Amino acid sequence: MTSMRDTPDGAAGRTPDRRSRGIGAIIQRPLVPDRPTRRLSQLIFGLALYGVSDAMVIQSGLGVEPWDALSQGLSRTFGLGIGMWTNIIGALVLLLWIPLRNKPGLGTVLNVLMVGTVMDLFMAWTPVPEAMWLRWTVLISGVVLNGVATGMYIGAGLGPGPRDGLMTGWAARGHSIRGVRWVIELTVLVIGFLLGATLGIGTLIYAVAIGPLSQIFIPMFDVKSPMPKEPVPGVRKSRTPDGKAP
């Protein structure tokens, strides 16, 4: 059992407080201030990065995430590019928002238009990795960048993606968000598999990692939250003539 020690100023237990201002506090702070231009640029960059990272996971050939499994299965069965199907599915999912009374934002519309388009362009311009070590590198990089992209476009606060809005809208009717996500993603994953999508270790890695990654990066890129002001250690606040702190 760890004992608490008195600091020089006589206060006990200062160590946990210092740790709370370490890496845990850093990743919970927004990296950019709340400015409309920053929001829009972050949204666009985040959506483009989301398309690139999705394409990287697909090109690794080690498995795809659930919604991409559906797009890949439809692409292999009916033609058109995976990215094109991603855009089409996004537009169709928006129709399911109507009974949920969800309202799309600018980010929602750009999500439908951009993510799949960037995916198709990236896969058309970049070669498919062949060496196994390179495929693993592409997979892991894609998953991590997907977490960064998720934090960026959600943190911009300009509207959720169609699939995110479907999950939160359904959960708002009294269901568990975790349960809703499992039902929806398992459904599209099974449909994609039946249509010939590539499932594998990459599918499992994505499913396990994307939640924790999003939890890290969403607060980092949340431009709606003001930067908390912390007192500088060793500096006391000045007081006004009446003895009150300003």
Side-chain angles (χ1 to χ4, degrees):
M1 180 179 296
T2 303
S3 61
M4 298 179 67
R5 294 180 300 175
D6 290 337
T7 55
D9 60 358
R14 295 289 185 179
T15 302
D17 187 58
R18 285 198 296 268
R19 288 178 180 174
S20 68
R21 288 191 292 236
I23 186 64
I26 292 174
I27 65 175
Q28 295 297 319
R29 297 176 179 176
L31 299 180
V32 293
D34 182 7
R35 298 172 183 171
T37 54
R38 286 291 185 90
R39 288 196 191 193
L40 183 58
S41 59
Q42 177 176 307
L43 171 69
I44 293 175
F45 187 83
L47 291 176
L49 182 61
Y50 199 97
V52 169
S53 59
D54 259 8
M56 292 174 68
V57 174
I58 293 171
Q59 285 194 317
S60 73
L62 296 172
V64 297
E65 59 104 348
W67 284 101
D68 285 346
L70 179 58
S71 298
Q72 189 181 58
L74 289 169
S75 177
R76 290 178 174 177
T77 304
F78 300 106
L80 299 179
I82 297 176
M84 180 63 70
W85 276 112
T86 297
N87 289 349
I88 293 173
I89 292 170
L92 293 176
V93 168
L94 276 183
L95 297 178
L96 299 178
W97 282 31
I98 297 176
L100 298 175
R101 297 182 179 180
N102 284 4
K103 295 182 179 180
L106 176 61
T108 310
V109 177
L110 291 181
N111 189 299
V112 173
L113 298 175
M114 284 187 60
V115 174
T117 304
V118 172
M119 288 172 65
D120 277 345
L121 290 174
F122 184 86
M123 288 188 286
W125 292 345
T126 57
V128 176
E130 296 182 0
M132 184 56 68
W133 70 268
L134 187 55
R135 291 169 63 186
W136 273 99
T137 301
V138 171
L139 170 66
I140 300 302
S141 299
V143 172
V144 174
L145 289 176
N146 197 267
V148 176
T150 299
M152 293 189 73
Y153 90 80
I154 291 180
L158 294 176
R163 300 153 187 82
D164 297 326
L166 176 63
M167 294 178 190
T168 56
W170 190 4
R173 301 205 163 207
H175 304 284
S176 163
I177 184 66
R178 182 178 301 176
V180 168
R181 179 168 183 167
W182 272 101
V183 169
I184 294 176
E185 294 196 351
L186 184 60
T187 299
V188 298
L189 186 65
V190 170
I191 295 174
F193 174 73
L194 294 176
L195 292 175
T198 302
L199 306 185
I201 186 63
T203 307
L204 179 60
I205 290 175
Y206 184 93
V208 171
I210 193 61
L213 288 172
S214 299
Q215 188 173 0
I216 291 173
F217 289 113
I218 289 176
M220 289 180 67
F221 292 102
D222 184 7
V223 297
K224 294 188 297 182
S225 301
M227 178 74 76
K229 294 182 179 180
E230 295 184 0
V232 179
V235 177
R236 296 183 178 181
K237 292 183 178 180
S238 60
R239 294 180 177 272
T240 56
D242 60 358
K244 296 181 179 181

